[in-house]
Amino acid sequence: MIDLRSDTVTRPTPAMRQAMFEAEVGDDVYQEDPTVNRLEQRAAEITGKEAAIFLPTGTMGNTIGIKLLTEHGQEVVADSRSHLLDWELSMLAWFSGCLIRAVPTEDGILTWDAIQSVVKPVGPHWAPTGVIELENTHNMAGGRIYPQAVIDEICEEAHARGVGVHMDGARLFNAAEGSGTPVARIVRDVDTVTFCLSKALGAPVGSMLAGPKPLMDKARLYRKRLGGGMRQAGILAAAGLIALENGPEWLARDHSNARYIEARLAEIPGIVPFQVETNIVIFDVSGTRHTPKAISAALKERGVLMNFVNDKLMRAVTHRDVNTNECGAAMDALAEICNG
Ligand SMILES: *Cc1c(COP(=O)(O)O)cnc(C)c1O
């Protein structure tokens, strides 16, 4: 099967399995797992933050990041197609007692101009804004990268008003690769940032949350409450360390495969791809005679796994475990279905 459903499907490399086998471990709830401690230290160094914490998932990273920067009854400003709004089971309502103020955007990218009228102080009739959430890269807008100047301006304006900024950087390293900007520079002014080791970086499990030391100390308590206090987690962190050190090198190839898919899609009558910047290709199939659901099923019969987003859009995600030839074969199958 050629699996283009997500970059979460990557399998651990032989080097990861070896490192997991040999990992030095301890009880991480006592902070005595040397491998987890090393991973957290490396993640802090790479993001340029004081501290970082190893988490089972990116959803937990967003959940804790929002919790750290808000009080019950506040609003979280986010793009209307954000992962936080659509794919995280309302955790910010359930755990943090907040509402999302969803702001529609053309391309998933919030700007200060677009959000300044909804960023509110305490008042007699409205909920104050606790945090602004930026999704970088933006998944449902097709892997779009935040321009650095936009991040910097939002952080400056937010902080001037006592509002926090959390970055959902599930694919932060794709943003760094695609923009040529070091990770630490991208997140320099955000308060907290989460990123996934388990996506294109290739680890089997795990995400990181990074930020100031006092917040990360609190994050440990929230992680425990959420059932994420793992014990000999060094087994997982060992693979995470390799993902962190070697994973970024794999991303350029994923991005060129995504651009290749974009070019092949543009040749199929009735298909319109979104602009590709990283490893996600979203495309509109409403000009073909087929529904996304039917195309997805027909692709599966031909050995290709690809998800549909809604009744118009489909999504292909490139990652380490698909090469250019396989992307080509997937596009051949898609062309055959759409032209047939
Ligand atoms: C995948 C993803 C997450 C976190 O997902 P988990 O499956 O919980 O690790 C968060 N934000 C975005 C944009 C994602 O794509």
Side-chain angles (χ1 to χ4, degrees):
M1 281 292 195
I2 299 170
D3 196 343
L4 295 167
R5 286 173 301 174
S6 176
D7 46 10
T8 56
V9 301
T10 49
R11 307 266 161 83
T13 62
M16 286 177 184
R17 289 183 185 271
Q18 189 65 31
M20 293 170 85
F21 183 71
E22 290 168 358
E24 217 190 316
V25 295
D27 191 324
D28 180 50
V29 172
Y30 295 114
Q31 292 184 250
E32 285 171 4
D33 188 302
T35 310
V36 173
N37 291 345
R38 260 201 300 145
L39 174 63
E40 292 180 345
Q41 198 189 331
R42 278 301 287 145
E45 283 164 13
I46 290 169
T47 54
K49 298 294 179 194
E50 253 172 26
I53 179 171
F54 182 49
L55 305 171
T57 66
T59 296
M60 195 184 285
N62 283 334
T63 297
I64 296 176
I66 298 299
K67 178 72 185 163
L68 290 169
L69 299 172
T70 56
E71 289 170 17
H72 273 236
Q74 291 188 326
E75 283 189 356
V76 175
V77 174
D79 161 68
S80 64
R81 284 175 290 171
S82 59
H83 195 277
L84 191 68
L85 176 60
D86 286 335
W87 307 95
E88 299 190 10
L89 301 96
S90 293
M91 260 313 265
L92 87 175
W94 198 75
F95 192 61
S96 298
C98 291
L99 277 179
I100 286 210
R101 176 65 56 177
V103 178
T105 61
E106 188 103 333
D107 55 3
I109 306 299
L110 297 174
T111 60
W112 179 249
D113 253 7
I115 62 176
Q116 59 177 325
S117 64
V118 301
V119 175
K120 291 166 296 186
V122 178
H125 302 295
W126 55 81
T129 305
V131 64
I132 299 166
E133 192 253 10
L134 310 178
E135 184 174 317
N136 193 22
T137 64
H138 196 294
N139 187 342
M140 283 299 145
R144 297 298 286 267
I145 302 170
Y146 262 85
Q148 194 59 46
V150 170
I151 300 172
D152 293 352
E153 186 184 18
I154 289 176
C155 289
E156 192 184 330
E157 298 289 350
H159 292 151
R161 289 159 178 78
V163 171
V165 180
H166 170 74
M167 184 172 284
D168 175 358
R171 295 184 180 82
L172 177 62
F173 287 80
N174 294 89
E177 170 61 36
S179 65
T181 312
V183 161
R185 173 64 190 89
I186 297 174
V187 304
R188 186 188 70 191
D189 299 339
V190 305
D191 299 284
T192 52
V193 55
T194 188
F195 66 85
C196 294
L197 298 163
S198 59
K199 290 187 171 162
L201 297 182
V205 178
S207 287
M208 306 302 301
L209 177 72
K213 175 84 168 54
L215 291 189
M216 294 305 107
D217 289 344
K218 262 183 153 175
R220 258 168 234 288
L221 307 179
Y222 292 131
R223 182 183 67 177
K224 192 73 165 66
R225 283 199 168 113
L226 290 165
M230 299 180 285
R231 301 294 180 173
Q232 282 73 42
I235 300 276
L236 301 174
L241 271 164
I242 293 177
L244 199 51
E245 300 304 338
N246 302 341
E249 291 160 24
W250 304 325
L251 303 180
R253 198 197 66 151
D254 296 348
H255 293 188
S256 89
N257 284 336
R259 286 193 299 273
Y260 168 71
I261 288 178
E262 179 190 23
R264 290 286 312 270
L265 287 171
E267 293 168 3
I268 304 174
I271 289 190
V272 182
F274 288 17
Q275 186 188 322
V276 169
E277 294 185 350
T278 55
N279 70 328
I280 298 178
V281 192
I282 299 216
F283 54 100
D284 190 328
V285 300
S286 55
T288 70
R289 286 173 295 108
H290 309 274
T291 63
K293 197 172 173 191
I295 292 174
S296 186
L299 280 171
K300 193 170 178 186
E301 280 168 23
R302 290 165 173 80
V304 178
L305 300 177
M306 200 187 289
N307 284 337
F308 56 93
V309 174
N310 55 30
D311 59 1
K312 282 185 179 165
L313 303 176
M314 298 193 63
R315 186 186 75 160
V317 185
T318 59
H319 53 80
R320 202 191 57 236
D321 294 349
V322 285
N323 60 35
T324 312
N325 285 339
E326 289 166 325
C327 292
M331 290 304 104
D332 292 343
L334 184 64
E336 188 185 294
I337 293 161
C338 292
N339 295 328

